[in-house]
Amino acid sequence: MRKADTRKVKAIGDDTLIVAVDIGMEMNRGYCTTPDGRSSKTFRFDNTRAGMDTLWDMITINKNRFKCNEVIVGYESTGPYGEPMLHYLMKKPVRIVQVNPMHTKKVKEINDNSPLKTDDKDPR
């Protein structure tokens, strides 16, 4: 298993696919976007091996679709529910970033002036 890199991400290149994941106990939601605003629809995947394979398929599809060379996966810490995804992705050629929950709350308020949670809005 590779060692965790705990440095802050300083810059994201134009050829980077950003994958945001909202982690749940049984089901997760993902969303792919690029720095220039191209994006996928929100997709669901289970917190199982088959679900992780679905996540990887969506990452691969969107990486090719948007012609990206690098992938960053961001997730909000939600206790132990994210562990299966982290262990799965550590073996893949992606950079994994933990997002501060206060940042995601503030972005929700800025985007639609509402801190309320919805399953489709959370990963964005």
Side-chain angles (χ1 to χ4, degrees):
M1 191 179 317
R2 71 180 197 219
K3 186 177 181 246
D5 183 6
T6 58
R7 293 176 294 164
K8 289 185 178 183
V9 175
K10 300 219 185 278
I12 295 176
D14 292 336
D15 63 343
T16 302
L17 179 69
I18 303 164
V19 182
V21 178
D22 180 39
I23 298 173
M25 183 169 41
E26 294 177 8
M27 184 187 61
N28 307 310
R29 292 190 186 263
Y31 172 75
C32 298
T33 188
T34 61
D36 62 4
R38 296 174 291 160
S39 61
S40 70
K41 291 185 178 181
T42 303
F43 57 91
R44 294 194 279 173
F45 61 99
D46 292 328
N47 217 358
T48 63
R49 173 59 193 249
M52 297 305 139
D53 289 338
T54 300
L55 169 63
W56 187 248
D57 290 344
M58 292 303 292
I59 290 172
T60 304
I61 288 166
N62 285 293
K63 182 180 176 186
N64 293 332
R65 177 178 158 204
F66 299 133
K67 297 177 178 55
C68 296
N69 294 321
E70 183 182 14
V71 177
I72 295 178
V73 178
Y75 73 99
E76 187 177 286
S77 177
T78 52
Y81 304 134
E83 292 292 322
M85 184 187 77
L86 293 177
H87 288 287
Y88 181 86
L89 290 176
M90 287 179 95
K91 298 173 185 163
K92 302 290 185 184
V94 299
R95 193 164 21 158
I96 304 167
V97 179
Q98 183 176 3
V99 179
N100 185 331
M102 293 306 291
H103 291 167
T104 56
K105 180 179 183 224
K106 196 60 154 173
V107 167
K108 286 181 209 175
E109 291 172 356
I110 290 169
N111 283 341
D112 66 359
N113 200 23
S114 169
L116 300 177
K117 293 176 62 67
T118 65
D119 286 338
D120 285 330
K121 184 172 90 170
D122 282 353
R124 292 178 183 230

